Amino acid sequence: MISPVRRITALCAIGALGAALAACGTPQASTRIVNATAVPSPATVSRPPTLAPGPAGLTPVFEHGPRTAADKTVALTFDADMTADQGGRAAAGERFDNPELIAALRRLRVPATLFMTGRWVEEYPIQARSIGRDPLFEVANHSYSHHAFTEDCHGLPTMAPGRMRADLERAYRVFREAGVTDPMPYFRFPGGCYDSRALRRIGASGVTAVQWDVVSGDAFATDADDVVRQVLDGVRPGSVVVMHCTRSAAPVTERAVRKIVPTLRARGFRFVKVSELVGTTAATAAKGDGTYARRIPRG
């Protein structure tokens, strides 16, 4: 769950760096810039599109798609959060799911990407399987435990560096056991917190780390209209919006989505999954010099 959060910057832009993007809160400046080759995914290849690793195997970080006014795409993403130690709260009746939100997305025919923790999937395997088998959605990895990959991450427990890759891969095993077929090779850091050490630790997993450029503010919000305004004010072509699929901690998300979707459609936006934005980014870069620029955080 992304609480009132600070921003962890990871800029993925085509060609050259743009301005720092809005994320989870207070920006934290990056300290160096590297180039890495983008890997387009040809239509004939079934593997989902990813970005190639950076220097020394650093996991690539994706934050938004191309800013193409002619094709105003936007990806709504939802974090299905449950921390490894929250089983007792779930047993006591706290709901970490949000079936009404999923039903609303289906009624509105909105493609979306859901970043699930392995612990959430263990708690709600039937819902996870239903979402994972629905062509409207794609399932991605939000770790197994929802423990932080850095220190000082919004109060989350901190994971030992040696456990990072194992935790990520454990989530994929839980997905398969629950019947979630073909989860995407995309990973969202718990709390959005990462540094270069974390990028190195999970590099061998072959995932692309997916951040965002629009924070919805739905975590712990009580006014749906505030969430609506924050999203509508922040969305640009190619945006990735971070929201949540957790009733107990994001109770107004479903109401906000029912207002956000028709408004953005009226503005000419087309809703897509993250995989489409990643694929477009890689293909666009390949037509140029074959690189994309991104910032690497301190650490």
Side-chain angles (χ1 to χ4, degrees), residues 38-72:
V39 178
S41 180
T44 57
V45 177
S46 60
R47 186 180 185 278
T50 55
L51 300 179
L58 286 176
T59 297
V61 181
F62 176 80
E63 193 170 273
H64 66 80
R67 303 298 196 189
T68 306
D71 186 14
K72 296 166 64 176

Side-chain angles (χ1 to χ4, degrees), residues 24 39 49 60 86 92 97 133 143 185-186 191 193 208 229 247 275-276 279:
C24 277
V39 178
Q86 291 177 329
D97 62 340
R133 295 181 178 180
S143 81
Y186 306 140
C193 302
T208 292
R229 283 191 293 271
R247 275 190 291 181
S275 56
E276 180 170 333

Side-chain angles (χ1 to χ4, degrees), residues 2-290:
I2 302 172
S3 56
V5 290
R6 72 165 183 264
R7 172 175 179 186
I8 309 295
T9 305
L11 178 63
C12 172
I14 301 298
L17 287 171
L21 300 171
C24 277
T26 304
Q28 188 172 59
S30 303
T31 58
R32 57 195 177 94
I33 301 171
V34 299
N35 286 329
T37 304
V39 178
S41 180
T44 57
V45 177
S46 60
R47 186 180 185 278
T50 55
L51 300 179
L58 286 176
T59 297
V61 181
F62 176 80
E63 193 170 273
H64 66 80
R67 303 298 196 189
T68 306
D71 186 14
K72 296 166 64 176
T73 54
V74 58
L76 297 185
T77 70
F78 298 88
D79 291 355
D81 296 336
M82 187 172 176
T83 304
D85 57 2
Q86 291 177 329
R89 289 165 56 180
E94 184 171 348
R95 297 305 300 262
F96 294 90
D97 62 340
N98 195 338
E100 291 83 3
L101 169 63
I102 300 303
L105 292 170
R106 284 171 167 152
R107 285 195 304 272
L108 293 166
R109 301 300 301 166
V110 179
T113 303
L114 284 92
F115 289 85
M116 299 179 181
T117 68
R119 185 64 189 87
W120 190 96
V121 174
E122 287 179 340
E123 194 69 27
Y124 305 106
I126 295 174
Q127 291 187 53
R129 182 164 59 250
S130 174
I131 293 166
R133 295 181 178 180
D134 189 331
L136 193 63
F137 304 126
E138 61 188 11
V139 171
N141 194 319
H142 196 31
S143 81
Y144 171 80
S145 65
H146 203 254
H147 288 183
F149 282 55
T150 67
E151 297 179 356
D152 190 25
C153 181
H154 321 304
L156 291 174
T158 302
M159 187 183 306
R163 294 293 305 161
M164 291 177 181
R165 180 180 172 189
D167 187 87
L168 180 157
E169 293 178 349
R170 182 180 181 184
Y172 279 124
R173 288 197 300 274
V174 171
F175 293 171
R176 291 192 296 269
E177 291 165 0
V180 177
T181 56
D182 302 320
M184 305 302 285
Y186 306 140
F187 178 71
R188 176 165 285 166
F189 286 96
C193 302
Y194 70 92
D195 54 22
S196 56
R197 179 180 67 177
L199 295 179
R200 284 193 298 271
R201 288 286 183 174
I202 67 169
S205 297
V207 297
T208 292
V210 175
Q211 296 289 96
W212 55 85
D213 67 313
V214 178
V215 58
S216 69
D218 68 335
F220 308 107
T222 57
D223 187 337
D225 289 337
D226 285 344
V227 177
V228 173
R229 283 191 293 271
Q230 189 152 325
V231 172
L232 296 181
D233 288 347
V235 165
R236 299 168 58 195
S239 280
V240 176
V241 182
V242 59
M243 306 185 82
H244 295 86
C245 184
T246 311
R247 275 190 291 181
S248 62
V252 303
T253 304
E254 183 262 339
R255 279 180 282 157
V257 163
R258 286 192 282 110
K259 295 181 178 182
I260 290 166
V261 168
T263 303
L264 286 179
R265 281 177 169 157
R267 294 180 181 180
F269 280 91
R270 178 172 66 91
F271 291 95
V272 299
K273 303 171 191 175
V274 164
S275 56
E276 180 170 333
L277 291 184
V278 173
T280 302
T281 297
T284 302
K287 291 176 183 178
D289 63 359

